[in-house]
Amino acid sequence: MKDKLSLYIHIPFCVKKCEYCDFYSLCDLSLMSAYVNALITQIESFRPVAKGRTVDTVYFGGGTPSLLSGEDMARIMDTVRSVFHIEDGAEISMEANPGTLDPNKLAAYRKAGINRLSLGLQSADSEALKRLGRIHTREAFESSFLLARLEGFQNINVDIMYAIPDQTKKNLSDTLDYVISLNPDHISLYGLRIEPDTPFGMEENIEASIADEDTQADMYMEAIAKLEAAGFLQYEISNFAKPGYACKHNVKNWKCKEFLGFGPAAYSFFDDKIFSYKKDIDAFIANPLKIENLVDTFEYLTLKSIATQFVMLGFRLRTGINVEEYEKRFYDDFEARYLEKMKPFIEKQYILRTDTGYRLSKQGFLISNYILSEILEFE
Amino acid sequence: MLFMKGMAKYMQRQDKIRNFSIIAHIDHGKSTLADRLLEATQSVSSREMEEQLLDNMDIERERGITIKARAVKVKYEAEDGNIYDLNLIDTPGHVDFNYEVSRSLRACEGALLVVDATQGIEAQTLANTYLALENDLEILPVINKIDLPSADIAGVRTEIEEVIGIPAEDCPAVSAKTGLNIRDVLEKIVTDIPAPSGDEDAPLKALIFDSYYDSYRGVVVYVRVLDGDVHAGEKIRMMNTGAEFEVVEVGYMSAFGLVPAEKIAAGEVGYITASIKSVADTRVGDTVTDADNPTDKAFPGFKEALPMVYAGIYPADGARYPDLRDALEKLQLNDAALTFEPETSIALGFGFRCGFLGLLHMEIIAERLEREFNLDLVTTAPSVIYKVTYKNGEVKYIDNPANYPTPDEIATAEEPVVRGNIITPTDYMGGIMELCKERRGIFLDMKYLDKTRVELHYILPLNEIVYDFFDALKSRSKGYASLDYEFDGYKESKLVKLEILLNLEVVDALSFIVHADKAYARGRKIAEALKDNIPRQLFEIPIQAAVGGRVIARETVKAMRKDVLAKCYGGDITRKKKLLEKQKEGKKKMRKLGSVEVPPETFMAVLKLDDE
């Protein structure tokens, strides 16, 4: 029997682009309804693929999915349900920006089946929010959060960032205290990365305003301590959750399970192929079925390369690599391949042994790129 | 009477020959002028002519300099109605190749002195002009680039007269670029440069001014025949090396290649092939004579071109050591001045200690190895040759800092010094004098060339010149100052060996010899440069500079703390894989020194210490 499938649906619209963001999104909201129609057409076209497959997670990402009206969300979800078999208790997440939510919308989303909300706070400091180019304030976030609770959302994530320009350890610690005080179910903590084609990337000397490597490492370690003390368990490099609230969709991603993406710029990993659609909303709206016009990258992955990806992503998780799972799935001897190269890291406790295999320690998480570039083999 | 008649016969023949070279500073248009001369004599049509015919190595063309001399013979119908053979002998334009220049000049009776009408005379030109004057050459000034709006023809005429002391009143003013007045130059060559006057009946005496290896013919030797003649089948001897060969072919260099002839005789410029396997047997400046009927005296002034600068050259990939050896052997076929011998470094593995005429020569060789032989190299800091007298009286020349003895073994240490000749606009004189002082220069004298330019003479330690002296000179004079130097001898000096320790271990490839007073400053700079070049690793890496076991500078590369991708969803996965793959490749290129990983460019980066 095949694994359960995950779906990713991209909503490439924003009220305003943030200074750091390099995701594909547009600010021309007039295309929204045409876009939703195209999306529905594309999802419909997957009916043959969907046959016999159960879906256990759906994720709306962006952009800003909360720019979708309640009706549009309902139409999309109806389509999804008519095409795929969505199992009972499936996790259906959406990203939402504070300031784009109201009680009616939230109620409509709930009704459409959304049961997990991810709110992008980033920082509780108004200066930092301005610097990031966010449209919301801390107050707007707080009312969105409380409204969502009122509308019955039992599973809410809050995104926080560190290494924001001019952010101090104190700023970060205050934001963490504040978020913890709201008692969400899940917290993501991301280090800001300066991407080249963003306003931040083009800003001269921006690096000078960002905490240095050592301070960032301190910020990260102190944040982990604080979050874990508050009952949020670190289950992935950047993700923390109350017991039972880890994001199923993302965990499946890191375990190299299959997912289908819809909309421009979306990636899919399906049937040993990894492919993505062009960042071209016009082409998508013009004909969402003309696949040859839409596909951007397409790669067939060998079992070996999936195995490498499995190790690369598995080490992101607190549970690490389950050796038996690895060997059954890839017909490969994990220790024969990796143990020798892992040894220096095991000695220094960057890599720890577990009952079922190996995982990175917190210090290991912090230098995971270095470790992975040492141990992984690429074709 | 019969004798006189005979003389007259070949005087007449030689009367129609003119041998000359062109002296010019880089960029002053030597190659372009050579092209125009060839064009004007219809040796080549402009369409056939590759842009600059005489320079035929890629690197030369890119850098706009001539590395090895080339020669070409053209026929010119002068206004007097006679047809003349003009032999143009090209000369290298860089101080590293000074000796080769002097040999090329010796093969001529005259030289065109090309002066840029917008720039005036430069150090290089002046040095070569003096060489030409010493060799009794007729100097024919040619003012070039008169098409440029900033050309100052009258000013340059005055400068030539004042600085060099030769009349320039009616010298040709041309634009090699547009071809303007090129015929004037050709006429001047015919009327002003003396014809050769060798003794055709005397035993063969020919001067080697260049040679190159050709895989079909063996070494092709370029000679100027001074006396006698040479023909195929003749047994010849190289008078300084003693090597003997049987001539296979002689002939002339035309614009299109070699043209065989029955013989080449006194006064002429031509080539000889004799199944010679190595240019080491055909040293520039050596005299060729008839082995059975030798001339009594070799042409004076032969010097073996000796390396002045040494550096370790290692393959970045140790497995390519044999390829590097083959490549060096191939280059040496054409470059007798290049020396190399195997060397082992703890840090870098197997490589070669290579000797070069100077820094430019070194850069050219390294570039050719990388470009023509597709090698990735790690090059260590260049070193000069130190002369050490041991306490037991033994004298050693040391070209590798790794072999430098400890202070307690040394009685006296000496370093090579050069006589430097710097020409600069007076505006930058102060800064340059300061630079020379910083570089331990001893001021000799100075001479105002005109109101705006001055010529400074210094004795400078060569080891100060191999450290970015040219760059510093250029940056302090906005590129206007020029330097020319020649070896002056050895001078006792307070020298110390500066060792660099990474993670408490001495790295042999990074140690070098420095004057005691400079050790602290240089040690600190190198430690800083290393800190900026070595990426953070899993552990803290102390970088120390030490003299005689005493640490004089310290920096620390802190342990790596953070190298993580925060977000990894969907499309990030593919990107992350690529990123890690790149990271892994970068690491593969690193050199492992003890437990420390060092990027290969570090070894050169410590050389490029910014001058302020």
Side-chain angles (χ1 to χ4, degrees):
Chain A
M1 218 197 89
K2 291 209 170 180
D3 280 334
K4 288 169 188 168
L5 192 58
S6 293
L7 306 179
Y8 174 84
I9 296 163
H10 194 62
I11 307 297
F13 296 98
C14 281
V15 176
K16 172 181 174 299
K17 276 294 270 191
C18 298
E19 301 291 299
Y20 56 86
C21 177
D22 72 335
F23 287 118
Y24 181 61
S25 79
L26 307 162
C27 301
D28 182 2
L29 302 183
S30 68
L31 294 171
M32 180 67 94
S33 68
Y35 180 74
V36 171
N37 290 337
L39 200 56
I40 286 170
T41 309
Q42 190 183 44
I43 297 169
E44 287 278 6
S45 73
F46 275 73
R47 206 175 280 280
V49 176
K51 217 174 156 196
R53 295 295 297 260
T54 300
V55 167
D56 59 351
T57 75
V58 181
Y59 194 101
F60 286 85
T64 309
S66 53
L67 286 176
L68 285 174
S69 66
E71 294 77 38
D72 282 343
M73 180 58 94
R75 283 177 62 209
I76 295 168
M77 278 310 295
D78 286 348
T79 309
V80 167
R81 283 178 205 288
S82 81
V83 172
F84 296 92
H85 172 244
I86 309 290
E87 75 172 13
D88 282 350
E91 177 190 271
I92 301 172
S93 303
M94 72 179 286
E95 294 174 349
N97 269 5
T100 58
L101 295 172
D102 62 59
N104 295 337
K105 231 183 191 179
L106 282 164
Y109 292 158
R110 279 289 295 152
K111 216 174 145 214
I114 306 293
N115 52 27
R116 183 176 183 274
L117 210 57
S118 178
L119 288 171
L121 168 64
Q122 315 312 355
S123 173
D125 181 73
S126 55
E127 283 307 309
L129 289 175
K130 236 188 268 166
R131 191 79 178 82
L132 292 172
R134 301 289 293 183
I135 53 165
H136 64 265
T137 59
R138 168 174 164 165
E139 291 69 28
F141 161 77
E142 191 168 318
S143 56
S144 296
F145 181 89
L146 296 175
L147 271 176
R149 282 289 196 228
L150 274 176
E151 290 303 326
F153 282 93
Q154 305 286 332
N155 187 350
I156 303 181
N157 166 58
V158 177
D159 278 351
I160 299 172
M161 268 186 189
Y162 71 101
I164 300 169
D166 304 318
Q167 187 186 39
T168 61
K169 283 189 191 177
K170 172 89 169 42
N171 291 149
L172 175 65
S173 156
D174 289 349
T175 294
L176 288 166
D177 286 335
Y178 167 71
V179 173
I180 289 168
S181 75
L182 290 175
N183 199 25
D185 311 287
H186 187 286
I187 293 174
S188 297
L189 175 70
Y190 299 118
L192 174 68
R193 253 173 72 101
I194 305 297
E195 302 290 350
D197 294 323
T198 62
F200 270 176
M202 285 177 247
E203 208 173 290
E204 235 174 274
N205 242 333
I206 190 153
E207 303 292 344
S209 65
I210 295 174
D212 63 23
E213 181 178 329
D214 294 294
T215 312
Q216 286 189 30
D218 290 344
M219 284 177 164
Y220 180 76
M221 295 306 276
E222 286 165 22
I224 293 173
K226 198 184 262 291
L227 289 168
E228 296 214 320
F232 295 89
L233 192 75
Q234 183 178 27
Y235 70 96
E236 193 258 0
I237 287 178
S238 306
N239 286 284
F240 302 79
K242 290 279 178 64
Y245 283 90
C247 175
K248 284 190 197 114
H249 181 85
N250 288 335
V251 170
K252 286 185 69 191
N253 235 288
W254 295 316
K255 292 207 155 212
C256 294
K257 303 291 187 194
E258 289 184 318
F259 62 94
L260 282 174
F262 299 94
Y267 269 77
S268 301
F269 173 53
F270 190 77
D271 200 16
D272 295 345
K273 296 167 203 61
I274 200 156
F275 56 94
S276 66
Y277 298 121
K278 283 183 198 154
K279 296 178 172 181
D280 183 348
I281 196 171
D282 296 325
F284 182 75
I285 290 174
N287 190 347
L289 299 179
K290 203 153 186 183
I291 209 87
E292 66 271 25
N293 279 355
L294 302 181
V295 169
D296 185 16
T297 62
F298 184 95
E299 194 188 348
Y300 181 84
L301 298 184
T302 60
L303 193 64
K304 185 164 182 248
S305 114
I306 299 170
T308 303
Q309 188 166 308
F310 180 89
V311 176
M312 173 179 100
L313 295 174
F315 272 128
R316 295 190 70 86
L317 293 164
R318 184 189 198 105
T319 49
I321 306 292
N322 182 319
V323 170
E324 199 190 324
E325 184 186 347
Y326 174 90
E327 293 182 347
K328 277 200 175 140
R329 182 162 169 190
F330 302 111
Y331 312 102
D332 188 35
D333 185 335
F334 182 81
E335 290 188 340
R337 189 174 294 284
Y338 291 110
L339 191 56
E340 198 52 43
K341 283 186 263 174
M342 293 197 302
K343 266 187 182 150
F345 300 108
I346 294 172
E347 271 167 36
K348 291 198 150 77
Q349 298 198 317
Y350 289 112
I351 296 179
L352 306 175
R353 286 178 201 274
T354 66
D355 295 342
T356 53
Y358 299 89
R359 71 178 180 93
L360 295 187
S361 64
K362 291 178 175 57
Q363 284 78 8
F365 277 155
L366 252 181
I367 57 159
S368 52
N369 283 355
Y370 183 89
I371 297 172
L372 291 171
S373 71
E374 284 282 313
I375 67 173
L376 293 185
E377 296 160 11
F378 299 97
E379 276 156 48
Chain B
M1 277 313 281
L2 196 68
F3 168 75
M4 284 300 288
K5 220 177 140 189
M7 275 296 275
K9 180 189 71 189
Y10 40 83
M11 283 302 289
Q12 213 182 357
R13 187 184 59 79
Q14 292 185 54
D15 227 16
K16 303 286 188 298
I17 299 176
R18 297 291 182 274
N19 298 317
F20 67 101
S21 63
I22 304 179
I23 297 171
H25 185 73
I26 295 170
D27 301 337
H28 282 196
K30 179 167 72 172
S31 302
T32 321
L33 179 63
D35 291 347
R36 285 302 156 268
L37 294 176
L38 298 183
E39 225 177 68
T41 56
Q42 275 140 25
S43 298
V44 259
S45 77
S46 35
R47 230 182 315 124
E48 283 169 315
M49 182 165 58
E50 250 196 274
E51 212 182 304
Q52 289 174 356
L53 235 158
L54 285 180
D55 296 350
N56 43 27
M57 278 202 272
D58 275 358
I59 299 171
E60 289 181 9
R61 200 161 295 164
E62 276 169 33
R63 297 187 179 211
I65 52 174
T66 310
I67 301 165
K68 294 284 282 178
R70 296 285 183 270
V72 64
K73 172 173 155 174
V74 298
K75 287 209 181 290
Y76 172 61
E77 188 177 348
E79 271 157 31
D80 66 8
N82 290 315
I83 293 176
Y84 290 84
D85 282 344
L86 306 185
N87 288 306
L88 164 57
I89 296 172
D90 200 17
T91 53
H94 191 272
V95 55
D96 283 1
F97 304 99
N98 221 345
Y99 173 70
E100 292 183 326
V101 176
S102 80
R103 296 303 90 183
S104 298
L105 293 176
R106 286 263 174 148
C108 307
E109 279 76 35
L112 305 183
L113 167 65
V114 183
V115 182
D116 186 321
T118 67
Q119 306 265 324
I121 298 167
E122 311 259 352
Q124 204 74 72
T125 328
L126 201 56
N128 286 345
T129 307
Y130 290 147
L131 266 177
L133 288 170
E134 276 167 32
N135 286 296
D136 293 325
L137 261 57
E138 180 72 27
I139 306 281
L140 216 70
V142 174
I143 300 172
N144 190 21
K145 302 201 186 179
I146 61 165
D147 55 307
L148 295 180
S150 54
D152 175 12
I153 302 171
V156 169
R157 276 191 213 279
T158 313
E159 192 185 44
I160 293 170
E161 291 183 351
E162 282 176 5
V163 175
I164 305 171
I166 52 172
E169 221 168 284
D170 58 348
C171 73
V174 308
S175 165
K177 200 173 125 200
T178 65
L180 182 67
N181 298 341
I182 292 299
R183 261 194 98 82
D184 293 356
V185 179
L186 290 162
E187 279 302 313
K188 273 278 179 195
I189 292 169
V190 168
T191 56
D192 287 23
I193 294 178
S197 55
D199 181 351
E200 201 166 328
D201 291 333
L204 170 66
K205 183 191 272 191
L207 172 70
I208 302 178
F209 64 87
D210 194 15
S211 66
Y212 68 92
Y213 184 82
D214 177 286
S215 41
Y216 298 105
R217 304 165 191 260
V219 177
V220 178
V221 192
Y222 284 10
V223 294
R224 158 68 195 274
V225 183
L226 300 156
D227 292 326
D229 60 43
V230 58
H231 52 83
E234 189 172 345
K235 207 168 151 202
I236 52 168
R237 178 191 304 152
M238 312 299 174
M239 293 184 78
N240 284 291
T241 65
E244 292 192 357
F245 302 95
E246 194 185 302
V247 175
V248 173
E249 186 183 293
V250 298
Y252 307 101
M253 290 72 84
S254 84
F256 303 107
L258 303 180
V259 180
E262 222 165 273
K263 64 171 188 177
I264 46 173
E268 292 183 310
V269 173
Y271 72 88
I272 302 172
T273 67
S275 304
I276 304 169
K277 290 198 178 59
S278 161
V279 290
D281 287 327
T282 58
R283 295 289 184 141
V284 169
D286 203 348
T287 305
V288 183
T289 193
D290 187 322
D292 300 323
N293 178 26
T295 180
D296 48 357
K297 257 201 199 145
F299 196 76
F302 174 76
K303 270 197 302 189
E304 211 175 314
L306 288 175
M308 300 256 275
V309 172
Y310 282 80
I313 292 190
Y314 293 80
D317 171 4
R320 300 204 61 194
Y321 175 79
D323 297 340
L324 176 58
R325 189 189 50 223
D326 291 350
L328 283 167
E329 275 168 3
K330 285 208 179 94
L331 289 182
Q332 204 182 36
L333 285 177
N334 259 326
D335 188 345
L338 168 69
T339 66
F340 62 92
E341 53 184 65
E343 171 183 88
T344 315
S345 152
I346 299 161
L348 300 172
F350 293 107
F352 295 93
R353 191 84 195 155
C354 301
F356 308 97
L357 294 171
L359 280 188
L360 179 79
H361 189 212
M362 169 174 149
E363 276 180 43
I364 288 166
I365 295 292
E367 206 168 313
R368 290 188 65 188
L369 287 170
E370 298 204 321
R371 194 184 298 197
E372 293 169 28
F373 299 92
N374 210 6
L375 290 158
D376 276 331
L377 303 176
V378 179
T379 310
T380 67
S383 168
V384 301
I385 308 164
Y386 297 97
K387 183 179 170 187
V388 176
T389 308
Y390 286 67
K391 287 201 173 132
N392 65 11
E394 198 186 344
V395 176
K396 271 192 188 168
Y397 288 88
I398 293 170
D399 62 39
N400 185 348
N403 302 332
Y404 200 78
T406 55
D408 55 305
E409 295 175 88
I410 300 172
T412 54
E414 291 168 68
E415 65 179 326
V417 294
V418 298
R419 182 174 285 266
N421 171 16
I422 297 168
I423 293 182
T424 173
T426 46
D427 294 356
Y428 310 115
M429 191 170 77
I432 287 170
M433 291 177 96
E434 208 177 299
L435 171 69
C436 290
K437 201 173 158 212
E438 282 165 23
R439 301 303 178 98
R440 301 188 284 129
I442 296 165
F443 176 77
L444 296 176
D445 56 38
M446 58 188 283
K447 198 169 93 191
Y448 278 89
L449 299 178
D450 52 42
K451 281 193 196 105
T452 58
R453 292 185 330 138
V454 64
E455 186 182 344
L456 307 169
H457 296 120
Y458 275 89
I459 296 289
L460 285 156
L462 184 60
N463 93 349
E464 296 286 350
I465 291 180
V466 302
Y467 286 108
D468 70 350
F469 187 86
F470 283 97
D471 291 344
L473 189 67
K474 292 289 170 202
S475 79
R476 291 196 192 200
S477 65
K478 302 207 168 113
Y480 282 110
S482 58
L483 164 78
D484 176 75
Y485 64 83
E486 59 182 329
F487 180 64
D488 195 59
Y490 274 89
K491 190 168 163 268
E492 192 170 339
S493 180
K494 274 198 298 178
L495 298 171
V496 294
K497 179 172 169 180
L498 184 66
E499 294 190 306
I500 301 293
L501 293 86
L502 282 186
N503 206 20
L504 311 179
E505 282 174 53
V506 175
V507 180
D508 56 356
L510 286 174
S511 59
F512 58 98
I513 311 301
V514 62
H515 189 266
D517 298 348
K518 292 280 187 86
Y520 175 72
R522 189 153 289 156
R524 213 185 48 210
K525 273 191 170 179
I526 289 200
E528 281 167 13
L530 283 171
K531 186 191 167 198
D532 293 341
N533 267 281
I534 297 175
R536 293 173 93 168
Q537 288 162 43
L538 287 185
F539 46 88
E540 188 175 286
I541 305 163
I543 299 168
Q544 294 161 301
V547 170
R550 195 167 51 89
V551 173
I552 56 168
R554 166 165 178 144
E555 292 284 339
T556 307
V557 178
K558 286 197 269 182
M560 183 199 321
R561 296 242 358 242
K562 183 170 173 281
D563 180 12
V564 57
L565 189 68
K567 280 192 176 188
C568 196
Y569 310 102
D572 304 326
I573 296 170
T574 309
R575 248 173 286 147
K576 178 169 191 190
K577 232 181 181 165
K578 294 221 168 87
L579 189 127
L580 292 176
E581 214 170 328
K582 230 171 121 191
Q583 198 167 343
K584 195 176 185 84
E585 268 162 32
K587 245 183 245 175
K588 264 195 209 147
K589 289 200 182 123
M590 300 252 217
R591 283 282 167 168
K592 202 136 185 164
L593 305 185
S595 46
V596 183
E597 284 176 327
V598 179
E601 37 314 341
T602 306
F603 298 93
M604 278 312 270
V606 298
L607 280 182
K608 306 240 153 89
L609 304 173
D610 284 347
D611 190 75
E612 265 74 47

